[in-house]
Amino acid sequence: MPGTTVLARRFPVPALLLKPAVFGSLIPTVTALNALVGLLLPMLMTPGQFGEYSLVVTLFQYGLIFDLGASQLADRRIPAQLGGNRPEEAERLGQRLLWLRLYIAAATAVVLVLVLTTLAVARGLPFRLEAALLAGLAGLLYMVSLGPACIYRARSLRRNYAVSIAVLSSGLVVARLSGMLLGGTVGCFVALGLWYGAFAVLLHWQMPPRLAERPGPTEAVLLVGQGLALFATSFMWAFHVTANRWFAAQVIPAGDFGQFAFAANIFALLVGTASGFSAFYYPKFMERLAGAAPFALSRLLLRDCARLLGATAAITAVGLLLAGPMVGYVYPAYTHSAADVRVLLVAVPPLVLASWLMPISLSAGRQPWIDGLVVYPAATVLLCAAIFLLVPLYGGLGAGAASTLSSLPLVAMQLLLLSRARVLRAPDAAALFGVALLGCAGLAALAWMVGA
């Protein structure tokens, strides 16, 4: 049976896991459990401890995507090679990309240790050195263990991919929670490092990198160069979603930062969960776009994205109404963060829209490097400037408002690129931006009335 042979040959896979209805539900189920654990963690820490954790965990998040474009290269080139009846080339590229991820992990680990140790000696770290090192290294081990899964995805081995991702993501449920209960922040990342180290070995035993296919230094550099623009976009997006806590930590007093970090955690969970569902939309849209005339799908994209904004705004509005009583009841130590939560929720719909437009812009745009080197960095600079301007005046509320103020220009820049790429007509792009702006205005008014 296509897509089951690798798993069945290497491991005794229960027959139940090979049913489409079961393996297709694995990733959404584990994603929901991850979000639940993310909401549970603040209960296990004081606001001060959670403030440290909220910064350290971003090093883990950056590490797990730090493959310098290897996964994007696999997604772009392996399907084309298989479609062109060149399976040997696809196999060879997959092997080289597995080796490339190992090279990147080793080199990045060395740089990480040197940089963090230097910053710690200069007293420039806002958290403990050992927690930061463990988080970064655990993230890199996660990145390595994802290598075979990326090849499965590129080769359309859906069962293998779903089972691998579900098992790896389960570490964020089992290892993260048990480690936190047993040893706090440090214990959390020790457990995650052990989990992903073990599965990096196990999954690479299942798909072993062959010495004969190991790329030399020149070829490795060329591969990185081919995927770097795509990687820059995914990395800058991940940084942008978490950047509000980094910038706010510089201007919010340490004793108060944990309250804002709690709000930023809920914000990131909502955006991250909603953005994950874009994987069910954009591949089909891009397939239709490939054979369509310029602007042929403009009205369709406008309609679908307007519905996305409407649904996200409706859910966010409910969150605005419930934020005060729910935070006070479930998280009594974070009662003072309820206002920050409400203000940050206003930024959720435009950022969810941005996350859905990102893969379409990358695939359809004529110059994909503009996203990673211009659009997202520019939005992040705006976020930084707004936080440093507004926090001294309004505290955590200012940091939350800054997220909204930077999200709207980000959406505007994405829509402009899609218009230039002849995907969205200018009137449809303007209409979609108007819907986003109207939604933010309505949510901001609701947040003001609830908090008044």
Side-chain angles (χ1 to χ4, degrees), residues 137-168:
L137 294 175
L140 290 173
L141 287 170
Y142 195 171
M143 182 270 286
V144 170
S145 65
L146 281 169
C150 291
I151 305 303
Y152 291 145
R153 182 179 62 203
R155 299 182 69 93
S156 296
L157 299 175
R158 295 173 56 234
R159 295 176 178 85
N160 293 353
Y161 173 72
V163 172
S164 299
I165 291 296
V167 169
L168 292 174

Side-chain angles (χ1 to χ4, degrees), residues 425-444:
R425 291 187 178 89
D428 291 339
L432 187 54
F433 182 76
V435 173
L437 186 61
L438 185 63
C440 283
L443 290 172

Side-chain angles (χ1 to χ4, degrees), residues 242-385:
T242 58
N244 54 10
R245 66 187 75 173
W246 279 102
F247 299 143
Q250 309 305 312
V251 287
I252 295 179
D256 300 328
F257 175 69
Q259 298 289 335
F260 175 77
F262 171 81
N265 178 63
I266 293 178
F267 166 77
L269 278 173
L270 290 173
V271 173
T273 301
S275 66
F277 288 103
S278 68
F280 297 98
Y281 177 78
Y282 81 84
K284 292 181 180 179
F285 180 84
M286 293 309 303
E287 183 178 342
R288 293 184 62 180
L289 186 66
F295 301 118
L297 301 182
S298 178
R299 189 55 60 92
L300 173 66
L301 185 60
L302 168 62
R303 185 197 67 194
D304 291 345
C305 288
R307 289 175 175 176
L308 171 69
L309 282 170
T312 309
I315 295 170
T316 304
V318 175
L320 281 169
L321 295 172
L322 298 179
M326 287 297 293
V327 170
Y329 179 75
V330 181
Y331 305 97
Y334 298 90
T335 302
H336 296 299
S337 70
D340 295 348
V341 171
R342 285 193 291 265
V343 174
L344 273 170
L345 286 176
V346 177
V348 169
L351 275 183
V352 169
L353 174 61
S355 71
W356 281 54
L357 292 178
M358 178 178 66
I360 298 174
S361 177
L362 273 178
S363 300
R366 300 172 183 174
Q367 298 171 304
W369 58 268
I370 291 180
D371 278 10
L373 301 182
V374 178
V375 171
Y376 294 98
T380 304
V381 170
L382 288 174
L383 173 63
C384 177

Side-chain angles (χ1 to χ4, degrees), residues 30 34 57 60-61 63-64 102 105 134-149 164-177 188-204:
V30 176
N34 288 344
V57 75
F60 172 80
Q61 294 166 344
L64 74 90
L102 292 171
L134 288 167
L137 294 175
L140 290 173
L141 287 170
Y142 195 171
M143 182 270 286
V144 170
S145 65
L146 281 169
S164 299
I165 291 296
V167 169
L168 292 174
S169 298
S170 296
L172 298 175
V173 179
V174 179
R176 181 170 55 156
L177 183 56
C188 170
F189 293 111
V190 168
L192 286 171
L194 292 174
W195 182 279
Y196 292 114
F199 278 102
V201 173
L202 191 62
L203 293 175
H204 281 81

Side-chain angles (χ1 to χ4, degrees), residues 66-73 77 93 96-97 99-105 107-108 215-232:
F66 204 83
D67 66 354
L68 300 184
S71 58
Q72 288 91 343
L73 272 183
R77 294 177 55 180
L93 177 61
R96 281 162 165 70
L97 292 176
W99 279 108
L100 181 64
R101 296 172 80 98
L102 292 171
Y103 293 166
I104 292 168
T108 305
T218 301
E219 185 177 3
V221 170
L222 289 175
L223 287 172
V224 169
Q226 293 165 15
L228 200 55
L230 301 173
F231 164 76

